[in-house]
Amino acid sequence: MRPVFLIAQNFAREQRWPLFFLLLWVLGWALFGVLADPRSGPDDALLIFRQLAVYSVTFGVFFGSSAIQADQRSRRILAVLSKGISRRQYVFGLLLGIALVLGVFCLCMGFTASWLLGRYGFSLGAMWFGVLALWTACLLTASLTLSLAAFMPPMFAAIGAGTIAGIPALLAMRGDVFSKYVIPVHGLLEPSIRADFTYTWQASIGMIAFGWVETAAFWFVAAWIFSRRDLSVAVE
């Protein structure tokens, strides 16, 4: 596992600037909590919480679409694989790196929400369950995008991932129960997107379990496709 952790650590270090700007949003949210008008503060703070949830999933797609090609363009990928590391381990390392970067963001977002939303009476237990579901949604979209980026350019992989994850989400929003469990990004984000101060929504541990199973499945597909790639071809 050590090579996997080293690949993940290297990926996280390379993404320090995107992570920095993500954390700036969280910091701006905290400052908003200090300066907000008490009359409109709770609703506005909750609106920003929902926006940050969407941003984190978007960055999951961004990281997943660019990870492989960045290493292939720099030819570093050949140096890494020549050290006896399997392609499956390499893809797992990238996914673990994405999990680390977005995990830091979700954790900071959760602590800020505990302070900011908690003082308005928001259910903290439900909020942390929503943060876990959000992190799962980030990994699910990242693994889906990685599987497409294993054979497609980054932009097409990102568009493809958005389309593949978006269709079941649209069907689920129209009331189709089965579609809710097919790439359940919508089901995982629903607790955060629909969060309010009435404690009426209930997060589903089953939905999170589906998210982890499908993340593992997409990682397997990504590794299988990537193992059949000719990495000696130059990437533009």
Side-chain angles (χ1 to χ4, degrees):
M1 286 297 288
R2 187 169 181 272
V4 173
F5 288 125
L6 290 176
I7 292 171
Q9 183 183 28
N10 184 66
F11 178 86
R13 185 173 61 249
E14 289 181 339
Q15 304 304 324
R16 59 188 179 279
W17 286 111
L19 177 60
F20 174 75
F21 286 109
L22 276 171
L23 295 180
L24 278 183
W25 279 332
V26 178
L27 179 61
W29 186 34
L31 290 176
F32 167 83
V34 174
L35 304 174
D37 183 345
R39 292 168 296 182
S40 60
D43 291 334
D44 291 342
L46 197 55
L47 178 63
I48 298 174
F49 176 76
R50 295 167 181 155
Q51 290 176 341
L52 291 178
V54 175
Y55 291 160
S56 61
V57 175
T58 304
F59 269 81
V61 173
F62 168 74
F63 290 142
S65 64
S66 61
I68 292 177
Q69 193 179 54
D71 278 356
Q72 192 173 0
R73 184 183 292 115
S74 66
R75 313 291 288 178
R76 185 174 55 193
I77 194 170
L78 295 176
V80 172
L81 295 178
S82 67
K83 298 181 184 302
I85 299 171
S86 70
R87 297 193 182 194
R88 182 175 298 181
Q89 287 177 311
Y90 174 78
V91 174
F92 187 43
L94 293 179
L95 188 59
L96 197 61
I98 296 173
L100 179 60
V101 173
L102 293 176
V104 170
F105 173 71
C106 289
L107 203 59
C108 292
M109 185 177 160
F111 282 120
T112 305
S114 295
W115 167 71
L116 183 55
L117 298 180
R119 67 179 183 173
Y120 294 128
F122 195 77
S123 172
L124 295 186
M127 185 278 297
W128 277 107
F129 204 96
V131 169
L132 176 61
L134 171 63
W135 187 51
T136 305
C138 292
L139 295 188
L140 178 58
T141 52
S143 63
L144 168 62
T145 313
L146 263 178
S147 67
L148 295 177
F151 66 95
M152 297 172 72
M155 184 179 71
F156 292 106
I159 294 173
T163 304
I164 293 173
I167 291 175
L170 289 174
L171 293 174
M173 292 171 67
R174 292 172 63 90
D176 187 282
V177 177
F178 178 75
S179 299
K180 194 173 183 178
Y181 299 95
V182 180
I183 314 177
V185 175
H186 172 262
L188 290 166
L189 286 179
E190 195 173 22
S192 300
I193 298 299
R194 294 192 176 183
D196 55 32
F197 290 98
T198 62
Y199 315 149
T200 54
W201 58 272
Q202 296 292 328
S204 167
I205 188 67
M207 192 65 68
I208 292 178
F210 266 110
W212 283 106
V213 169
E214 294 192 23
T215 296
F218 282 124
W219 160 68
F220 185 81
V221 171
W224 182 79
I225 296 173
F226 189 60
S227 66
R228 283 155 177 77
R229 282 277 308 275
D230 180 7
L231 300 178
S232 61
V233 179
V235 175
E236 299 296 334

